Amino acid sequence: MKSINKSLDVPLPFPTRSIIVPGGYVDEYIIPADKRQEVLKKLYPFVPVPSLDDTLLDIHEEKTFKVRDFRVLRGVDMDWLVSPYYYNSGGTVIDWVEPDED
């Protein structure tokens, strides 16, 4: 399935490293700190785009994280914005929510 946004089909201009996962491997981008907000803005599918300093909750892992710790994986034909816990529980950007204020 192709993305509607053709700019997402083009790989990001950063090096990748291969990460071994069950069933094979994935390529994870190595994104410099000074480019992370730009990448987040490009890949984040909702409005408003969070700040790198915001704290969100990965609903699969049931743990919070600083947005700046996101990861980007290269899929077959597009990039995937994922939680820093992706390798534990598979959380992608659609699984990020604001934590409850208790």
Side-chain angles (χ1 to χ4, degrees):
M1 178 179 200
K2 292 281 187 184
S3 70
I4 295 169
N5 183 344
K6 292 296 181 191
S7 68
L8 296 179
D9 295 343
V10 178
L12 294 173
F14 306 110
T16 60
R17 62 178 162 228
S18 292
I19 307 290
I20 296 172
V21 295
Y25 69 93
V26 295
D27 289 328
E28 180 180 321
Y29 287 102
I30 303 166
I31 303 168
D34 66 335
K35 299 291 185 181
R36 292 185 75 75
Q37 185 68 48
E38 178 183 328
V39 170
L40 180 65
K41 184 177 179 182
K42 178 179 179 176
L43 298 179
Y44 196 78
F46 309 112
V47 175
V49 175
S51 160
L52 293 177
D53 294 325
D54 286 348
T55 299
L56 294 176
L57 175 74
D58 176 323
I59 62 172
H60 290 292
E61 194 70 16
E62 296 183 0
K63 291 182 183 176
T64 59
F65 64 96
K66 286 288 190 186
V67 172
R68 75 177 58 261
D69 296 328
F70 71 82
R71 297 172 183 262
V72 179
L73 309 179
R74 180 67 191 167
V76 173
D77 61 0
M78 67 181 286
D79 297 320
W80 294 91
L81 184 60
V82 302
S83 153
Y85 306 119
Y86 176 82
Y87 298 115
N88 295 338
S89 52
T92 68
V93 67
I94 64 171
D95 305 308
W96 304 359
V97 298
E98 291 189 23
D100 288 335
E101 300 283 330
D102 288 326

